[in-house]
Amino acid sequence: MDKLEFYRSCIQTILSKHSQYKSRDEDIESQLFFDPVRDRYQLMRVGWKGLKRIYYTVLHFDIKDGKIWLQQNTTDIDVGEELLSMGIPKEDIVLGLHPPYKRPYTNYGVA
């Protein structure tokens, strides 16, 4: 498996794993979006909690220039550590949810 396919597989594994979390509200579902053509991957929660609309991105990854970009993480899970444990080097993980001036201090890739 080449590097790009490996990265796609790791991201899809993480998103699928975290999509198994069941909300206490039956009207809220997890939705996975895998776009391997554009290398964009998301886990969303969609539904209703009473009269309140629930619609937000839980996790969002992109692959750009051979690196995995974490664009959104609304969990308390350190997905960077999960990617590291799967064998992805730190320099190939970019915390895109942090502003560019902070990225050199994250110990991950800077783009």
Side-chain angles (χ1 to χ4, degrees):
M1 182 183 302
D2 73 358
K3 177 179 160 179
L4 185 57
E5 285 300 319
F6 177 64
Y7 286 5
R8 288 174 177 149
S9 173
C10 290
I11 291 169
Q12 291 177 28
T13 297
I14 287 173
L15 292 176
S16 295
K17 178 178 128 186
H18 293 293
S19 74
Q20 299 303 311
Y21 167 75
K22 298 290 182 200
S23 172
R24 286 177 278 185
D25 298 301
E26 292 181 17
D27 293 335
I28 300 173
E29 65 181 27
S30 296
Q31 294 187 354
L32 292 170
F33 298 90
F34 298 160
D35 180 355
V37 173
R38 293 168 196 83
D39 281 320
R40 304 196 190 298
Y41 307 88
Q42 289 187 356
L43 167 62
M44 294 190 69
R45 301 268 192 255
V46 178
W48 289 91
K49 185 173 186 174
L51 296 176
K52 182 180 177 190
R53 176 77 170 147
I54 304 297
Y55 184 87
Y56 65 94
T57 301
V58 179
L59 291 166
H60 172 178
F61 295 96
D62 292 333
I63 300 175
K64 299 191 293 189
D65 300 323
K67 296 183 179 185
I68 295 175
W69 284 66
L70 176 60
Q71 302 285 19
Q72 176 77 317
N73 181 2
T74 61
T75 73
D76 56 357
I77 300 159
D78 188 344
V79 291
E81 283 296 323
E82 288 190 32
L83 290 168
L84 289 173
S85 71
M86 297 172 103
I88 297 177
K90 273 188 169 187
E91 62 271 12
D92 282 358
I93 301 168
V94 178
L95 302 181
L97 46 79
H98 291 302
Y101 73 89
K102 278 189 173 179
R103 292 184 201 145
Y105 307 106
T106 63
N107 292 322
Y108 287 100
V110 292

